[in-house]
Amino acid sequence: FPFPEEKVFSTENLNLPKFLVTKFYRPVTYRYGIFFSEYIRKINPALIHGHFGFESYRWLPLVKKHRLPLITTFYGLDVSKLGQIPKWRKRYIELFEYGSYFLAEGGNLKRQLIELGCPEDKIIIQHLGIDLSGYKFKTDYKGKDKFKILQVSTFREKKGIEYSLQAIKEVSVVHPDVEYRLIGSGDDDSAVDKIKSLISELGIEKNVKLLGITTRDEMKQEMLSCDIFLHPSVVAANGDNEGGAPVSLIEASACGMPVISSWHADIPEVVRDNVTGFLCPEKNYKVIAERIITLKNSERLREEFGIAGRSHVKENYDQESMISKLESIYGKAINK
């Protein structure tokens, strides 16, 4: 997306001597901003908002030097994975002491921040918002010749794709017309090859369509044309997890899709079990399969979940409301 601000300064846009010094300074100190005071003076910001805990830590010396309020949004990996590393726990204590407020997507991430030593009175739950006007509402829940299940994600372990595929195998035995459509790709070819190998191993090639990376408009059209949205997130072997909840779950509910996901991170705040969809135990593909069959067999339930999902997003994840709340947080930080 085009950045709506003309004053964008990159650590790469420095003259050659400064660029070379920065290339050495950053990996040794794990700090950024050694030559950025001149930009701070040009912009004259009222506060700094860092996205991801590790980014705020990198820029902390510069923020302290100019005595600016600092707000940090944590997203997941910066807590669940880095939070297990002793040196990062120590670094975060320094960040927690200086920072004005720390934003979390939901209660689960908030609890993790408290466990890392963040004062509870500095933590604010701030949902990720979407522009509802950009999402058409699903009106047809009758289903077509094939019952289509959609997942949108990167091919990472925490996304639970392998459990989606195993569930599709279970369902296809009873309902051969089921079709699992997957939008996304891996960080490298090996991630894609792993998914393709599992599809072949399970013998469900006829039931799976790998759509690769699509445009957002194409993704939204898939959400309107498919019957169920599936996203069974898990905690990966290396500790990586969603932290909050995938934005795709919010988008799917905005389109009126019934959702099947997992009891994981802050997903239960986005997907209300038995209200906007079903939540399943992590890695339990048999329960996922049962929930798929339940929704396949009930047009009425799909419609009820879809309508409730749109309403839930409108009430709790509307972009305009989230912007207003963030502006008020900025005001509190500036006047603190």
Side-chain angles (χ1 to χ4, degrees):
F1 298 101
F3 215 88
E5 174 57 63
E6 293 182 1
K7 298 177 181 177
V8 177
F9 302 98
S10 168
T11 54
E12 311 303 322
N13 295 339
L14 300 169
N15 62 39
L16 185 57
K18 289 182 178 180
F19 176 78
L20 293 175
V21 170
T22 298
K23 294 291 282 188
F24 173 78
Y25 176 81
R26 285 191 294 182
V28 171
T29 65
Y30 212 73
R31 301 290 201 177
Y32 285 9
I34 185 173
F35 297 119
F36 264 65
S37 285
E38 62 178 291
Y39 298 127
I40 292 293
R41 286 189 286 269
K42 287 180 181 178
I43 301 171
N44 191 27
L47 60 78
I48 301 292
H49 188 160
H51 291 272
F52 292 98
F54 53 81
E55 287 294 346
S56 279
Y57 175 79
R58 286 169 172 168
W59 292 89
L60 191 55
L62 182 70
V63 178
K64 283 183 173 181
K65 179 180 178 180
H66 293 274
R67 299 180 181 180
L68 291 166
L70 175 64
I71 289 174
T72 302
T73 298
F74 280 85
Y75 289 95
L77 178 66
D78 47 357
V79 176
S80 62
K81 189 174 181 180
L82 293 187
Q84 304 305 311
I85 302 173
K87 69 178 179 181
W88 270 106
R89 295 179 73 94
K90 186 177 180 180
R91 287 170 175 174
Y92 280 163
I93 291 301
E94 180 186 356
L95 178 62
F96 295 152
E97 288 176 352
Y98 182 84
S100 301
Y101 295 110
F102 300 90
L103 310 186
E105 291 181 49
N108 174 72
L109 198 53
K110 177 180 178 178
R111 287 189 293 273
Q112 289 181 299
L113 286 172
I114 292 172
E115 290 172 2
L116 286 177
C118 185
E120 185 172 0
D121 61 356
K122 286 188 175 185
I123 305 173
I124 298 174
I125 291 178
Q126 171 75 10
H127 293 153
L128 298 178
I130 64 170
D131 180 5
L132 271 173
S133 66
Y135 295 83
K136 294 181 180 178
F137 184 69
K138 187 178 180 69
T139 57
D140 182 9
Y141 291 90
K142 295 184 181 301
K144 303 293 188 293
D145 53 334
K146 287 186 177 181
F147 191 77
K148 296 179 181 179
I149 299 165
L150 178 66
Q151 182 165 353
V152 180
S153 73
T154 54
F155 291 8
R156 294 176 183 166
E157 183 184 352
K158 69 178 179 181
K159 300 301 181 180
I161 295 174
E162 63 178 288
Y163 305 102
S164 295
L165 293 172
Q166 291 177 30
I168 295 302
K169 171 65 175 179
E170 296 277 319
V171 175
S172 67
V173 174
V174 183
H175 298 287
D177 61 330
V178 70
E179 182 175 277
Y180 171 73
R181 300 172 69 83
L182 177 58
I183 292 177
S185 188
D187 296 325
D188 52 46
D189 291 340
S190 65
V192 178
D193 291 340
K194 183 178 179 181
I195 294 300
K196 289 182 176 179
S197 294
L198 181 56
I199 293 169
S200 177
E201 179 185 325
L202 293 172
I204 53 175
E205 294 93 335
K206 293 182 179 179
N207 302 97
V208 177
K209 297 291 183 184
L210 299 181
L211 304 179
I213 298 173
T214 68
T215 65
R216 293 194 67 77
D217 285 342
E218 289 170 338
M219 179 200 74
K220 291 176 183 178
Q221 188 54 48
E222 285 288 336
M223 288 181 171
L224 292 173
S225 63
C226 292
D227 299 284
I228 295 175
F229 192 81
L230 179 60
H231 204 300
S233 299
V234 302
V235 177
N238 66 358
D240 190 15
N241 63 52
E242 300 290 1
V247 177
S248 61
L249 292 175
I250 302 172
E251 294 177 302
S253 289
C255 290
M257 293 191 79
V259 177
I260 297 177
S261 192
S262 54
W263 292 99
H264 173 88
D266 284 317
I267 289 175
E269 295 185 23
V270 176
V271 182
R272 307 302 300 273
D273 188 40
N274 281 303
V275 177
T276 69
F278 288 127
L279 294 175
C280 307
E282 286 188 32
K283 304 180 181 181
N284 195 327
Y285 65 88
K286 289 187 177 294
V287 172
I288 296 171
E290 291 172 2
R291 298 295 182 260
I292 290 173
I293 292 172
T294 296
L295 283 175
K296 185 181 188 306
N297 291 338
S298 178
E299 175 189 333
R300 177 192 59 79
L301 191 57
R302 295 198 302 274
E303 184 171 6
E304 286 181 3
F305 283 178
I307 293 171
R310 174 79 176 197
S311 177
H312 180 58
V313 169
K314 183 177 181 180
E315 184 176 345
N316 296 282
Y317 298 91
D318 177 61
Q319 180 175 279
E320 290 301 315
S321 298
M322 294 304 101
I323 289 173
S324 295
K325 183 178 178 181
L326 185 59
E327 288 175 343
S328 69
I329 294 170
Y330 284 167
K332 288 174 61 178
I334 292 169
N335 297 314
K336 196 171 182 180

